[in-house]
Amino acid sequence: MIALQNVWKTYTLESGPLHSLKGVTVSIPQNSFQAILGPSGSGKSTLMNLLGCLDTPTQGKIQLNGKNISHYSADELAHVRGKTIGFVFQKFNLISTLTALQNVTLPMVFQGASQATREARARELLTFVGLGNRLFHRPNQLSGGEQQRVAIARSLSNNPEIILADEPTGNLDSVTGTKIMELFQRLHGQGKTIIIVTHDPAMKKYAQKTITLRDGQIVGG
Ligand SMILES: Nc1ncnc2c1ncn2[C@@H]1O[C@H](COP(=O)(O)OP(=O)(O)O)[C@@H](O)[C@H]1O
Ligand SMILES: [Mg+2]
């Protein structure tokens, strides 16, 4: 479970301070499916970076599974992130020279499992997302929806408790986007905590709970 208490994120610019989050308080229980909505510039990605242990708040407290991580160093955050959180991005962020199988295997390299174990797990994950027959395709040989499936399989490689997805359907047509959201629902059903950032209110229906941001503040569900 992740809890933010009166969290501020302020950037210091030449023109003065820019408050990207202004006193956000929210808690995200284990095995919930949470959507974060709001217009462009409202602070969604900033919030996502804090939830994902990619950044620390300027003020306020962030707790992850009961531990106060507000003042963790970059190394400490990286450690927590690696074993707790899987990421999915709007632009898939796959490595273009690697096959689907290699893209999914890569994050496991840092875990110390044998090559055979890693590859077996990557095959299993790609089969789970419906790509058992695309293991040796490279990203440019796959459709957008297939690339996002590879990215979701990759996000699962270290068996994270939480999946964070920033606009995961933003580059997909609506039919493909729906399939991706259904995949997140399946993962939720398997016990994962799913947090999805979107500016598309149509995505609301897939989540159990919605947070709406406007101008750096939570304005409602
Ligand atoms: N690294 C940064 N430095 C300065 N300003 C930033 C930075 N990141 C985000 N901002 C500003 O913070 C606000 C919120 O940005 P962001 O969280 O990316 O919004 P969203 O994801 O909802 O579009 C925007 O006004 C943006 O310009
Ligand atoms: Mg954003």
Side-chain angles (χ1 to χ4, degrees):
M1 123 116 158
I2 316 177
L4 274 69
Q5 214 179 311
N6 193 24
V7 162
W8 289 69
K9 184 73 193 181
T10 305
Y11 297 104
T12 307
L13 306 174
E14 270 175 49
S15 50
L18 188 154
H19 304 293
S20 172
L21 293 177
K22 305 178 203 170
V24 167
T25 297
V26 64
S27 69
I28 299 178
Q30 205 166 11
N31 192 212
S32 54
F33 191 151
Q34 187 93 40
I36 299 171
L37 281 103
S40 176
S42 59
K44 301 184 300 295
S45 293
T46 306
L47 177 59
M48 188 67 135
N49 290 343
L50 294 174
L51 291 170
C53 301
L54 288 159
D55 204 355
T56 49
T58 311
Q59 255 188 73
K61 188 167 154 188
I62 303 185
Q63 281 182 290
L64 176 63
N65 294 331
K67 282 210 179 96
N68 185 350
I69 60 165
S70 317
H71 304 292
Y72 270 27
S73 68
D75 279 355
E76 288 171 318
L77 284 178
H79 181 72
V80 174
R81 201 162 64 224
K83 58 176 195 178
T84 316
I85 302 167
F87 292 90
V88 176
F89 306 94
Q90 177 172 358
K91 292 182 179 161
F92 323 134
N93 295 12
L94 298 172
I95 296 177
S96 61
T97 53
L98 300 183
T99 64
L101 192 67
Q102 290 168 329
N103 267 284
V104 178
T105 311
L106 191 63
M108 294 184 251
V109 169
F110 310 103
Q111 275 214 326
S114 73
Q115 171 72 18
T117 306
R118 296 197 299 258
E119 216 172 281
R121 174 150 175 80
R123 274 174 192 267
E124 196 181 295
L125 291 170
L126 283 163
T127 304
F128 170 77
V129 301
L131 292 179
N133 56 355
R134 293 287 186 277
L135 301 177
F136 303 105
H137 282 55
R138 278 190 296 279
N140 68 1
Q141 300 168 325
L142 295 166
S143 71
E146 287 171 340
Q147 289 181 62
Q148 194 60 302
R149 280 169 197 279
V150 175
I152 292 171
R154 178 185 56 186
S155 79
L156 295 167
S157 59
N158 289 333
N159 196 23
E161 164 194 334
I162 301 162
I163 311 267
L164 282 178
D166 197 350
E167 302 274 2
T169 61
N171 276 19
L172 304 174
D173 64 77
S174 65
V175 173
T176 310
T178 298
K179 296 220 171 89
I180 293 296
M181 292 306 286
E182 286 167 358
L183 184 50
F184 284 120
Q185 277 185 323
R186 257 167 76 204
L187 288 168
H188 176 233
Q190 294 189 346
K192 303 283 184 204
T193 304
I194 310 284
I195 306 171
I196 291 201
V197 168
T198 178
H199 67 271
D200 181 359
M203 295 300 156
K204 241 177 155 164
K205 61 175 179 285
Y206 295 97
Q208 289 174 314
K209 249 189 100 191
T210 308
I211 298 170
T212 304
L213 280 174
R214 188 148 294 138
D215 204 16
Q217 291 182 308
I218 294 181
V219 293

